[in-house]
């Protein structure tokens, strides 16, 4: 699918992606799992470009979950090295494309060198005004919600706020995605039909799109396809179809 087939009206502001299938891609090609992860960087480059072309404002990529720390330690360390390499390699390109990089997740769990590189990339791109590229790193939806609860509890305990101040907007302002609209569209690749502890609160009304393509084979044309599919849906938010059409 090419970009002309995507309608200019009805572009989602925020698209979130569970990038899955790197290991199976590697297996299919008779190579080590890490090669699949490395190939996955090309897919990231392609959809960041595609998202920019479409005028999407926020693209959130699930790159490493809280649970991924439990993978074999060789794979985890190889992923850390890849993360540094990818940032170093892509940072100029991101700046050129006016992309602002953000991270959601528990950065403190990362090796110092990775954490520093991430903070540096966030800083270097902080003034950019194009696509907001949000990386989910050491992220999980439950972690996000628990962190918000902890922060709010401290504010109640210190007397800064009353329990009755805790409404939906207040809670949202304490999530890691504070200030970012909820994703209208969530994509998962590799033919798995689950959320795997990704944005739990934020996807309350997201449209889901599942693709059988393994992440290292996913390109911006596949993103365009997902957007067109999304554009053909009716989002009712609990209302009736008649209410939506009128
Ligand atoms: C997604 O690919 C990348 C990460 C979770 C880091 P996987 O590594 O999960 O690939 P599969 O699911 O084993 O094929
Ligand atoms: C989800 O993929 C996490 C990321 C894409 C970063 P996983 O491959 O870890 O998910 P499960 O284990 O299959 O649910
Ligand atoms: Mg997987």
């Amino acid at each position: 699918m090419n970009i002309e087939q995507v309608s200019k009206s009805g572009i989602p502001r925020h698209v979130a992606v569970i990038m899955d299938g790197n290991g199976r891609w590697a297996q299919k090609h008779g190579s080590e799992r890490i090669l699949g992860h490395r190939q996955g960087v090309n897919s990231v480059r392609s959809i960041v470009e595609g998202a920019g072309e479409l005028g999407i404002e926020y693209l959130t990529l699930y790159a490493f979950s809280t649970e991924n720390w439990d993978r074999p330690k060789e794979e985890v360390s190889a992923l850390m090295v890849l993360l540094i390499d990818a940032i170093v390699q892509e940072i100029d390109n991101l700046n050129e494309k006016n992309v602002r990089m953000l991270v959601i997740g528990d950065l403190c769990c990362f090796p110092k060198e990775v954490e520093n590189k991430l903070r540096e990339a966030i800083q270097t791109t902080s003034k950019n005004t194009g696509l907001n590229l949000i990386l989910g790193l050491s992220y999980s939806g439950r972690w996000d919600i628990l962190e918000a609860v902890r922060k709010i509890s401290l504010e109640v305990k210190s007397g800064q706020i009353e329990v009755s101040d805790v409404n939906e907007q207040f809670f949202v302002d304490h999530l890691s995605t504070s200030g970012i609209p909820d994703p209208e569209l969530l994509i998962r690749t590799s033919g798995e039909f689950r959320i795997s502890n990704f944005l739990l609160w934020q996807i309350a009304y997201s449209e889901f799109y599942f693709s059988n393509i393994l992440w290292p084979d996913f390109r911006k044309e596949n993103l365009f396809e997902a957007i067109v599919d999304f554009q053909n849906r009716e989002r009712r938010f609990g209302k009736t179809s008649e209410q939506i059409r009128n």
Side-chain angles (χ1 to χ4, degrees), residues 20-21 24 71:
D20 198 14
R24 279 162 284 166
R71 291 198 177 187

Side-chain angles (χ1 to χ4, degrees), residues 4-203:
E4 282 74 38
Q5 291 166 272
V6 185
S7 154
K8 297 278 177 301
S9 64
I11 300 286
R13 290 185 71 195
H14 184 179
V15 176
V17 186
I18 302 175
M19 313 184 286
D20 198 14
N22 297 351
R24 279 162 284 166
W25 186 94
Q27 192 177 37
K28 205 173 103 182
H29 291 80
S31 42
E32 302 283 315
R33 291 180 59 84
I34 190 65
L35 208 86
H37 297 310
R38 217 169 278 149
Q39 284 296 324
V41 178
N42 298 327
S43 308
V44 171
R45 195 181 305 117
S46 176
I47 71 153
V48 165
E49 196 175 289
E53 289 165 8
L54 287 172
I56 289 171
E57 291 173 64
Y58 302 89
L59 177 68
T60 301
L61 303 179
Y62 202 12
F64 193 83
S65 73
T66 308
E67 288 77 17
N68 288 151
W69 288 113
D70 295 332
R71 291 198 177 187
K73 65 178 190 312
E74 302 74 42
E75 181 167 347
V76 173
S77 10
L79 277 167
M80 295 302 131
V81 174
L82 176 62
L83 198 51
I84 298 185
D85 289 353
I87 293 168
V88 171
Q89 185 191 312
E90 297 300 323
I91 194 74
D92 288 342
N93 183 31
L94 292 178
N95 259 325
E96 227 166 81
K97 296 210 154 66
N98 198 20
V99 174
R100 182 165 78 123
M101 194 183 110
L102 304 162
V103 171
I104 53 172
D106 201 353
L107 267 195
C108 302
C109 306
F110 283 95
K112 259 282 146 293
E113 201 192 347
V114 179
E115 189 189 334
N116 291 342
K117 271 276 168 293
L118 287 168
R119 293 198 192 281
E120 201 180 298
I122 293 167
Q123 179 59 33
T124 322
T125 62
S126 62
K127 299 264 156 33
N128 293 341
T129 54
L131 174 74
N132 293 286
L133 173 64
I134 304 149
L135 300 181
L137 287 169
S138 191
Y139 178 88
S140 73
R142 287 182 176 177
W143 167 84
D144 200 354
I145 292 168
L146 271 177
E147 279 293 299
V149 170
R150 287 189 197 107
K151 285 182 214 152
I152 293 170
S153 303
L154 283 176
E155 290 177 39
V156 173
K157 193 177 169 202
S158 68
Q160 274 173 271
I161 59 152
E162 300 290 336
V163 171
S164 58
D165 292 329
V166 186
N167 56 29
E168 198 168 310
Q169 188 55 50
F170 190 86
F171 194 82
V172 164
D173 292 340
H174 286 76
L175 289 167
S176 67
T177 48
S178 155
I180 300 168
D182 288 342
E184 293 96 324
L185 175 63
L186 172 75
I187 300 172
R188 184 173 187 144
T189 60
S190 87
E192 304 290 358
F193 304 103
R194 55 178 173 267
I195 299 301
S196 303
N197 211 352
F198 195 26
L199 308 160
L200 293 178
W201 173 284
Q202 297 87 342
I203 58 169

